Amino acid sequence: MLNNIWGIMLLVGIITAAFTGNLENVSNGILTSARDAVDLLIVMLGVISMWSGFLSIAEGSGLTRRLTEKMQPLMRFFFPDLPAEHPANSYICSNFIANILGLGWACTPTGIEAMKALKSLEIERGNSGSIASNEMCTFLLLNISSLQLIPINMIAYRTQYGSPTPISVVGPALMATALTTIVAVILCKLLIHKTRF
């Protein structure tokens, strides 16, 4: 459905540009956007590679385990039924840390691993793993709400596109993500309470 909507929008835009004599602007816009997309992908590749490397070093040195231990009270609050020694804990903690630092691109590898670990936990519990568990839903909502102290991704975008004050986004981003995280936590707790009773 979404592909059809985008296809129709593109077709209407090109036909309109042809009839109004702006076809050259459309061609230039496509080429400029393609170049910008490649530049952005290179930046994203660097950030994700750096974070994945850091995660491997952190796991090898035991830093991930120590951070996971420090975050246990928070983990118990968000995921009361998740066993303390389950591998999903370290992936979820790494994901939260990346989100707090504003490394949204770098959250993807740990988020995928966390979901795989939570699915294996559901299978261990005797469920099929094809239906999202409370832990999966909670993790997804918290990941999407994404509390950010330093929105590094957004600062990188603004720097790349020539913003004179790329760091000025820190305050508004912190307020917005704090609000979305509070709403996500309340929603999670209400829905989990409702499903239990």
Side-chain angles (χ1 to χ4, degrees):
M1 179 68 179
L2 196 56
N3 289 339
N4 294 336
I5 292 171
W6 278 108
I8 291 168
M9 286 173 52
L10 286 171
L11 190 60
V12 167
I14 291 169
I15 291 169
T16 303
F19 280 113
T20 59
N22 291 319
L23 203 53
E24 184 179 342
N25 292 337
V26 171
S27 300
N28 291 338
I30 290 170
L31 293 174
T32 303
S33 298
R35 186 182 65 243
D36 289 347
V38 170
D39 290 343
L40 189 58
L41 282 174
I42 291 169
V43 172
M44 289 172 64
L45 178 65
V47 172
I48 290 174
S49 299
M50 187 237 4
W51 183 255
S52 297
F54 174 72
L55 184 59
S56 296
I57 293 168
E59 286 176 354
S61 68
L63 179 62
T64 305
R65 181 181 47 78
R66 287 195 295 275
L67 286 173
T68 303
E69 289 170 1
K70 296 286 185 193
M71 291 178 71
Q72 278 309 305
L74 193 62
M75 293 295 289
R76 293 278 65 81
F77 175 73
F78 290 132
F79 307 99
D81 298 329
L82 183 63
E85 298 301 318
H86 197 273
N89 281 295
S90 63
Y91 291 123
I92 292 170
C93 288
S94 298
N95 185 276
F96 284 173
I97 291 166
N99 259 327
I100 287 169
L101 294 175
L103 296 166
W105 304 325
C107 293
T108 304
T110 53
I112 291 170
E113 292 302 319
M115 281 297 191
K116 285 180 184 176
L118 290 172
K119 181 176 181 178
S120 71
L121 176 63
E122 281 304 294
I123 292 169
E124 289 170 20
R125 289 174 173 165
N127 300 322
S128 66
S130 61
I131 297 174
S133 65
N134 286 338
E135 289 93 355
M136 289 177 175
C137 294
T138 300
F139 174 65
L140 185 62
L141 279 173
L142 291 173
N143 191 18
I144 291 169
S145 68
S146 174
L147 175 65
Q148 294 183 9
L149 299 179
I150 309 165
I152 291 174
N153 285 354
M154 196 171 293
I155 292 169
Y157 282 132
R158 289 169 58 86
T159 302
Q160 183 175 347
Y161 293 112
S163 171
T165 55
I167 203 163
S168 65
V169 76
V170 171
L174 179 60
M175 286 189 294
T177 58
L179 182 62
T180 58
T181 301
I182 290 168
V183 170
V185 169
I186 292 169
L187 186 62
C188 287
K189 291 299 179 183
L190 287 174
L191 291 176
I192 289 171
H193 179 75
K194 184 178 178 181
T195 56
R196 284 185 176 161
F197 300 100

